[in-house]
Amino acid sequence: MSEFDLIRRYFTRPTPNTNLGVGDDAALLTVTPGMELAVSTDMLVGGTHFYLDTDPRQLGHKTLAVNLSDLAAMGAQPRWATLSLSLPQAHDDWLQAFSEGFFALAEAHGVELIGGDTTRGPLNLSVTIMGEVPQGQALRRSGAQVGDDIRVSGALGEAALGLAHLQQRVQLPEGARQTCLAALQQPMPRVELGLALRGIAHSAIDVSDGLLADLKHILDSSNVAAEVRYDRLPKPAFFASASEEMDVLAQDCVLSGGDDYELCFTAPLARREEIGVIADLMHLPLTRIGSIVSGQGCKLRAANGSVIKIAREGYDHFAS
Ligand code: ADP
Ligand code: MG
């Protein structure tokens, strides 16, 4: 199979909302008047971000999902994507499954694949995603204000717990295993939530590197501090019934696990009711985990108010 057969067979689909799609030296597109173009790139490297034997359909999904998550965090409507692939070899079954996983998620969000690049090399998957957001309405990291509630969507730590299971650091029972492996391999980017939070949230970020690390980006960009209640964090159900020996793993997964692809956002108290309505409509918990305060850094507290030291090294600057 030639490079061009490969592109035609697996990565060329109709693009009705694009002036010119795959097949020329560049794609041509028209941005809707009054909209800003939001552009983001995320790369998944085989052996670093995923195991090389990962199911290709799930990999196709995840390659796009991590990019959609970035647009969700900006409150942008996804429109177009390019896909750059470095592949050790061109296996039909692998390409078929990968492209099916990719396009299933793309079609669910109205995203058109309009170009890319294909080369031979170590397995490497990179997407550039483009979306639209009304002028001036994008959700930024820099807008958090003292007094804001801090919220997080869905549950934290499930993907990290799924990874811990694959690495045999924990043995999950059937139900938890399914939930956590699905969270790891097929994350559902919170695109609709990002759109609903336009004009409501003061700041937002997607949780890809762990809650503490990503919340810190909001705090640094906004020049504020946070008080977060550990007992209020939405944790995997597995930990509710797990032994105390699991506390270290629970803290690690929930606070610094990464790969959650949930949204962490801040919003003023006056918006609590609207946020409650959004959560109900979307059947998605939007848990209030703390507040923005003045100062620097993030203080993590237990239910009784005592400060919790962060166990994992590398997050010292959060402890105080
Ligand atoms: P060029 O030589 O000009 O870089 P290529 O031969 O790399 O062009 O690509 C030919 C066409 O196929 C271009 O329109 C490019 O955007 C598209 N393309 C290449 N790889 C992919 C891919 N993996 N997915 C979608 N489109 C692709
Ligand atoms: Mg090229």
Side-chain angles (χ1 to χ4, degrees):
M1 180 170 36
S2 79
E3 182 188 323
F4 303 102
D5 288 338
L6 186 161
I7 295 165
R8 201 168 31 240
R9 198 177 303 172
Y10 297 109
F11 299 108
T12 307
R13 297 258 180 122
T15 52
N17 299 311
T18 307
N19 307 347
L20 187 61
V22 170
D24 213 312
D25 294 310
L28 299 172
L29 50 86
T30 304
V31 179
T32 309
M35 296 288 201
E36 288 182 281
L37 190 65
V39 182
S40 179
T41 297
D42 239 332
M43 179 160 63
L44 297 183
V45 178
T48 301
H49 293 97
F50 59 90
Y51 292 117
L52 290 169
D53 63 356
T54 300
D55 175 69
R57 181 185 297 269
Q58 292 176 339
L59 209 50
H61 172 102
K62 189 162 178 176
T63 301
L64 184 60
V66 302
N67 281 274
L68 286 170
S69 182
D70 284 319
L71 286 193
M74 298 300 287
Q77 174 72 57
R79 296 287 313 273
W80 302 282
T82 62
L83 171 65
S84 294
L85 294 174
S86 164
L87 303 168
Q89 64 279 108
H91 280 313
D92 278 306
D93 291 350
W94 193 96
L95 284 161
Q96 183 65 34
F98 176 86
S99 64
E100 281 173 14
F102 184 95
F103 279 113
L105 188 62
E107 279 156 22
H109 289 281
V111 171
E112 296 183 348
L113 183 64
I114 59 170
D117 202 17
T118 306
T119 66
R120 189 187 287 274
L123 188 58
N124 200 326
L125 313 163
S126 177
V127 165
T128 295
I129 194 143
M130 286 151 270
E132 292 184 327
V133 58
Q135 292 275 353
Q137 285 189 34
L139 306 174
R140 301 180 183 212
R141 297 178 179 185
S142 56
Q145 293 177 21
V146 172
D148 279 0
D149 290 327
I150 305 170
R151 289 181 193 261
V152 70
S153 63
L156 296 171
E158 285 181 342
L161 186 54
L163 182 64
H165 176 84
L166 290 183
Q167 295 171 335
Q168 302 186 341
R169 288 189 286 132
V170 64
Q171 184 72 41
L172 294 178
E174 177 65 17
R177 185 164 69 227
Q178 274 183 15
T179 308
C180 294
L181 289 181
L184 177 68
Q185 290 159 343
Q186 293 205 279
M188 284 304 171
R190 303 302 187 190
V191 173
E192 286 77 21
L193 175 60
L195 298 178
L197 290 176
R198 283 180 190 162
I200 293 179
H202 278 160
S203 68
I205 191 167
D206 69 315
V207 182
S208 54
D209 297 333
L211 175 70
L212 291 183
D214 287 316
L215 176 58
K216 185 175 188 298
H217 293 311
I218 286 186
L219 303 181
D220 291 346
S221 303
S222 303
N223 215 357
V224 292
E227 293 261 352
V228 170
R229 283 274 300 273
Y230 183 68
D231 57 299
R232 290 207 191 141
L233 298 180
K235 303 175 185 68
F238 168 75
F239 289 122
S241 55
S243 68
E244 264 177 42
E245 287 157 38
M246 288 286 166
D247 283 356
V248 173
L249 180 67
Q251 209 184 83
D252 201 50
C253 287
V254 172
L255 297 175
S256 21
D259 258 3
D260 292 305
Y261 303 106
E262 296 294 348
L263 295 189
C264 175
F265 61 97
T266 78
L269 275 60
R271 301 295 199 151
R272 278 185 184 174
E273 216 174 289
E274 285 159 276
I275 291 171
V277 171
I278 292 170
D280 289 346
L281 283 175
M282 292 187 181
H283 305 289
L284 178 66
L286 300 175
T287 310
R288 194 150 54 85
I289 61 168
S291 349
I292 296 293
V293 296
S294 59
Q296 276 193 330
C298 177
K299 222 170 239 168
L300 191 67
R301 290 191 193 275
N304 66 8
S306 63
V307 174
I308 297 176
K309 291 263 182 209
I310 313 299
R312 200 207 285 206
E313 273 185 33
Y315 292 102
D316 287 24
H317 44 286
F318 289 109
S320 58

